[in-house]
Amino acid sequence: MTRAMTLASLRQIPPTALIGLAVILAYALVGILAPLIAPYGEAQIVGAQFEPWGGDYLLGTDSLGRDMLSRLIWGARNTVGIALLTTLLAFLLGSVTGLLAAALQGWIDMALSRVVDVLMAVPSLIFTLLALSALGPGVWNLILVIAVLDATRVFRLARATAMNVMVMDYVEAARLRGEGTWWIIRREVLPNITAPLIAEFGLRFCFVFLTISALSFLGLGLPPPMADWGGMVRDNAALITFGDSTPLLPAACIAALTVSVNFVVDWLLHRASDLKE
């Protein structure tokens, strides 16, 4: 791709999507480079409790005397990284089972759909709280529970979109040629449902990200002393009563990433639907 073509492609991206992409890239760089750019360690106690902004601690310290700026930087690595891993696992599980249900149909489709209906019948937050209370705290337990619950939404989308493609003439022609199920899924179905799945991935990431933050705020998210934005809001919430805006910093980080991802998802949906301004 030439430089002129690259510039032309960038001009077609709306300003909101460009802002969203810039914020997502910034978060990714901060998370990857956290050990290099954080002034202090993730759990290092560097001063007294709730020290004010400025001086050696640009954003003050938290309830245990840990540097808030360092915790925010490490929180980008932990919260966003674990949310991304959980979303990838949920998408892998949900999309594979959804495509299989649409391709094989029959009793396999019936069994998978009923299991998904049962899981979706229970409010997700209540189910997550019960599962984590039974399994105990831990990063992997958190990832598995949220991934299984979010995979049900991905299953529904993958199955519905794949079922629409499976009735097309070119799929029937592939069957008559003797092509196998996996070939049909890989070459005929998956390329035609990629756009909605990519958009759903962005939305799922937002929901997973917010769920992890909410669970951390409730004390069932990432275990201490891991830095997590939801837990940081809880740990410093007492400062709100004194007019200190420190607890709003991790909340602002959560909100900025969520809005940015939604900007990019809206743009991807716009492109996939071939809508014009």
Side-chain angles (χ1 to χ4, degrees), residues 15 55 72 100 120 137 159-160 193 205 220 238 253 257 259 265 271:
L72 285 174
L100 283 176
M120 293 185 69
R159 178 182 176 276
I193 64 173
F205 173 79
L220 288 173
C253 292
L257 182 58
V259 173
V265 169
R271 288 190 59 191

Side-chain angles (χ1 to χ4, degrees), residues 78-272:
N78 296 333
T79 309
V80 179
I82 291 174
L84 181 61
L85 178 60
T86 305
T87 308
L88 289 171
L89 182 58
F91 241 76
L92 178 64
L93 180 60
S95 59
V96 169
T97 53
L99 289 170
L100 283 176
L104 301 178
Q105 301 187 17
W107 67 269
I108 294 179
D109 180 24
M110 182 69 67
L112 290 173
S113 297
R114 297 296 77 78
V115 171
V116 168
D117 288 343
V118 170
L119 291 175
M120 293 185 69
V122 182
S124 58
L125 183 58
I126 295 176
F127 191 97
T128 306
L129 291 173
L130 290 174
L132 289 177
S133 298
L135 296 174
V139 174
W140 287 109
N141 288 341
L142 180 70
I143 291 174
L144 290 175
V145 170
I146 297 178
V148 169
L149 287 177
D150 267 74
T152 57
R153 276 72 179 175
V154 181
F155 172 88
R156 295 288 290 270
L157 176 66
R159 178 182 176 276
T161 53
M163 290 284 279
N164 291 334
V165 176
M166 292 298 294
V167 299
M168 296 296 179
D169 293 338
Y170 53 83
V171 175
E172 187 63 28
R175 285 201 184 104
L176 294 175
R177 290 198 310 265
E179 304 293 355
T181 301
W182 280 113
W183 191 95
I184 294 175
I185 290 175
R186 188 177 68 255
R187 300 294 296 273
E188 302 289 0
V189 178
L190 197 54
N192 289 288
I193 64 173
T194 301
L197 287 180
I198 291 176
E200 180 66 14
F201 182 87
L203 294 176
R204 283 298 108 207
F205 173 79
C206 287
F207 285 118
V208 169
F209 177 68
L210 293 173
T211 299
I212 292 175
S213 299
L215 290 172
S216 296
F217 182 81
L218 295 173
L220 288 173
L222 303 184
M226 291 183 69
D228 176 75
W229 290 335
M232 292 172 66
V233 175
R234 180 197 66 226
D235 294 340
N236 300 280
L239 293 176
I240 291 292
T241 58
F242 300 100
D244 194 325
S245 59
T246 299
L248 300 180
L249 295 176
C253 292
I254 295 171
L257 182 58
T258 303
V259 173
S260 299
V261 172
N262 276 283
F263 280 159
V264 177
V265 169
D266 287 343
W267 170 58
L268 291 175
L269 285 174
H270 187 276
R271 288 190 59 191

